[in-house]
Structure formats: structure tokens, C-alpha cells
Amino acid sequence: MTAAPQQESVPDLVAWRKAAHALQAEIGTVVLGQKRAIKFLTIAVFARGHVLLEGDVGTGKTTLLRAFARAIGGAFERVEGTIDLMPGDLLYHTYLAADGRPRVEPGPVLRGGEELSIFFFNEINRARPQVHALLLRLMAERSLSAFDRDYHFPFLQVFADRNRVEREETFELPAAARDRFFMEIGIEAPADRETRRRLIFETRFHDADALVGSVRPDVVDYRALDEVARAIQEHVRASPVIEDYVVSLWQAIGDPLSFGIELADVDMERLIQGGGSPRGLSFLVRAARVRAWLEGRDLLLPEDVRDVFVETMAHRIFLDSIYELRREALVAELCRRVFETVASP
């Protein structure tokens, strides 16, 4: 059993890598059929990035995040997006007590206090833009103002998922909001037949509370993750050749026609409205460096960049509105063609 490394002045990245692998293994004991999602969530945890989750209902997104929260420590809070949700509902809850007097209690954000490590916004596109604005400040600054004081959340990561089935009474995130998320990770129902059988018939997977409770706590120390993340970024080097490769990928995504990339039944001159921001490309490199570190290397390779490219860049590729209904297939095909076209060093 791997002990959680303790916070220290100079993080031992070898010990932390063992802990990161132990974290993935621990989550994998309670969340079946999501090996790739667990890997990318681990990358996000060690890159300290906020995450959008994409997937159908009932695929275990909440259980997955609760398991991560237990394994890294700290407080876990969740809110459900609804059309009548207001910004204040994240901060406080008002009610009439038994004595008939009004009471004000902390809401889901303030309840965890400074120990809040994971905040999950379920069905974020059901909430109004005013709520999105508050969430964006929380993500960007790890702080909020309420009751004439500032609240700080030094260890916070925000996770959100979007309802991708229903379109009525939803408010899709604008480009600027989506760009704030480090990754968008798909959580799909497992395709493996044996895994499906186990999820259906093994009763341990029917009680989410007991399942999460079986996760070994404090596999890593959430209070040290910011320092470890900085050390990883400084530890993993990128050669000038890799730097040129990443810049070329960015150019090809933003202007595929100039690289000779064409997709069937698509007007390539109007397809792309936005092909990634400098922030998005910096997130790509952050994710790739963590991936290289997890693989035991201190040098960035092309496969590190390609492996995290779709999760960090696809939600930043903004298409003309006439192509949005085909978005998933078009973006996947565009990324594939970019990898085929841009020469790998």
C-alpha cells in the first residue's frame, strides 16, 4: 500500500508519481470501464485544471468525482443546475426554523470552507448565465465575496457536466466560458460485455455511498497538489522541435484549409470560427507534461501531445453554427486529419 507523500519544500516527484499511479488504481477498483477517463482526471488533478465532463446520464460521473475527492482528501460539494437557480443559491440557503424565525445557512460552495477540494456542478447548461459568471470567478480566482467578506478556496478544482440530450430550457456555455475549462473528458457507458454484466448484477455497484466509502482515503494530500503541479511543469522539458510541432498543430486547427485539409461536405472557409486560444495551448502543454511525468519521463514527446490533444482542444474548436449539430464527428475527423497532415518530429 503506497503511503501518501507529505507536503514538503521540494516535492519528491518519484514518490508522487507512485502515489499518482496508486490513485488511479484505487479509483479503478470502484469505477469500472473508465480507465481512460480516470487517467485524464488524474492528469487534470496534477495539472490543477478545471474539467467539463461529457456523457449520458447514469454513467457514474458523480461517483467518479466523489471517489477522487475521498482519495485526495478535502471536502466535496455538488449542486444541480436548474433554470431557476440563482447565484445566491451557491452561497447560502434560507429557510424558516421551527421557531418561525428565518435562518441563513452556508450554501454548497461556502459549506466546505477552505477545505473544499472538489466542487461538481451537475448539468451546468441548465443554469442561467448569471450563475455561470459566478462559477467562472470561482474557477479563475478561487475566491468569492459574500456577507461583506471574501472567501478563499486555495485547493479547489471545479468539475461540471452538460446535459447533451435535452435542448429546452438550457443555456449553453459561451466560448469564453468553455475556454476556462482545462479539459473536456468523455464519460461513456462501458462497451465491454463483462464490465456491463458486473455493473448490472454485482450489488456492490448499486450502493454509491458504500462504494465511495470503500475507497482508501488520503492516497494523495490535496493540500500539496499545487506545489507538486508546479514542480512537474518545471521538471518536464520541451525541446525546440516539440515547441515547433505544437505551434504547427495550433495553426492547422485554426486554419485547416491553409494546410490542405478538407472534410467531406464541408465548406472549409467557414467551418472554423475559433481554433484555440493561447490559454488553450498552454493547457495542452501542461497536460502533456503531466502525461510525460506519469510515464516516467522528463522530456516531452509527440505522443504526449497527441494523447491529450482532443481532451484539451476539442471543446475550444468553435464551428460555424450550421455545423454545430455535426460537431462531435467533425471535430474528431478534423483532429485526425491534423495529426496526419502535420509532420511529427
Side-chain angles (χ1 to χ4, degrees):
M1 184 178 294
T2 304
Q6 299 299 308
Q7 189 170 5
E8 52 195 16
S9 57
V10 180
D12 181 348
L13 292 183
V14 174
W16 273 99
R17 181 164 52 248
K18 292 178 180 178
H21 289 307
L23 174 65
Q24 293 182 75
E26 188 67 29
I27 302 301
T29 64
V30 298
V31 181
L32 300 185
Q34 300 294 349
K35 185 176 180 179
R36 183 170 176 84
I38 291 170
K39 181 182 80 170
F40 280 109
L41 282 170
T42 302
I43 290 174
V45 164
F46 282 91
R48 311 308 296 142
H50 308 297
V51 175
L52 273 172
L53 300 176
E54 179 80 7
D56 293 329
V57 297
T59 52
K61 294 185 290 293
T62 302
T63 300
L64 180 60
L65 293 181
R66 288 180 63 194
F68 264 96
R70 180 169 172 83
I72 70 175
F76 171 87
E77 293 291 343
R78 166 180 168 162
V79 68
E80 296 288 335
T82 61
I83 193 171
D84 60 347
L85 188 72
M86 298 300 291
D89 296 328
L90 302 183
L91 305 178
Y92 56 84
H93 168 60
T94 59
Y95 65 99
L96 290 178
D99 60 4
R101 295 183 177 181
R103 294 287 187 272
V104 178
E105 297 289 344
V109 173
L110 301 185
R111 197 157 43 226
E114 291 191 352
E115 301 307 306
L116 183 61
S117 63
I118 290 182
F119 181 74
F120 179 34
F121 201 123
N122 194 35
E123 296 197 2
I124 188 173
N125 57 334
R126 286 203 179 279
R128 294 176 179 272
Q130 300 96 314
V131 181
H132 297 166
L134 181 69
L135 187 70
L136 290 177
R137 177 185 169 180
L138 183 64
M139 291 165 56
E141 303 176 14
R142 289 182 175 175
S143 68
L144 288 174
S145 298
F147 308 114
D148 295 324
R149 57 166 290 192
D150 291 331
Y151 293 82
H152 298 279
F153 311 93
F155 314 113
L156 175 67
Q157 272 187 281
V158 172
F159 297 81
D161 83 331
R162 295 184 294 126
N163 184 318
R164 69 179 187 182
V165 177
E166 297 166 336
R167 298 292 179 181
E168 295 182 359
E169 297 185 340
T170 60
F171 302 86
E172 286 300 333
L173 292 174
R178 289 171 65 180
D179 192 61
R180 298 291 183 90
F181 284 92
F182 180 71
M183 282 183 169
E184 183 173 69
I185 300 173
I187 310 290
E188 304 293 345
D192 177 68
R193 187 177 181 86
E194 176 59 19
T195 301
R196 290 188 169 197
R197 184 197 63 78
R198 292 185 62 190
L199 290 173
I200 295 169
F201 290 102
E202 290 187 19
T203 56
R204 69 183 292 255
F205 297 110
H206 301 172
D207 186 338
D209 291 339
L211 194 64
V212 171
S214 69
V215 173
R216 179 165 63 92
D218 304 324
V219 179
V220 300
D221 182 0
Y222 70 99
R223 293 163 294 193
L225 286 172
D226 278 3
E227 185 178 358
V228 174
R230 286 191 293 269
I232 292 170
Q233 297 301 311
E234 294 172 359
H235 175 72
V236 179
R237 297 172 291 111
S239 69
V241 173
I242 289 292
E243 292 179 0
D244 288 341
Y245 179 58
V246 171
V247 172
S248 294
L249 290 175
W250 183 15
Q251 292 173 331
I253 281 291
D255 187 10
L257 192 57
S258 69
F259 281 73
I261 298 173
E262 295 190 14
L263 306 182
D265 301 319
V266 171
D267 180 353
M268 298 302 294
E269 291 186 350
R270 66 179 300 185
L271 174 65
I272 303 296
Q273 297 298 303
S277 65
R279 173 169 52 205
L281 270 293
S282 71
F283 284 173
L284 169 67
V285 173
R286 276 172 57 185
R289 281 181 165 140
V290 176
R291 197 259 190 193
W293 170 73
L294 288 172
E295 294 291 324
R297 288 181 279 101
D298 64 357
L299 183 65
L300 208 58
L301 297 181
E303 51 261 41
D304 298 317
V305 176
R306 289 195 296 267
D307 190 44
V308 300
F309 189 85
V310 172
E311 280 75 11
T312 53
M313 293 301 297
H315 64 290
R316 295 184 166 88
I317 301 172
F318 301 105
L319 307 183
D320 187 280
S321 58
I322 66 171
Y323 295 113
E324 272 298 326
L325 290 179
R326 300 167 57 193
R327 174 184 179 78
E328 186 174 348
L330 287 177
V331 170
E333 178 65 10
L334 177 62
C335 290
R336 186 183 68 81
R337 294 294 304 279
V338 165
F339 289 149
E340 292 175 350
T341 303
V342 178
S344 175

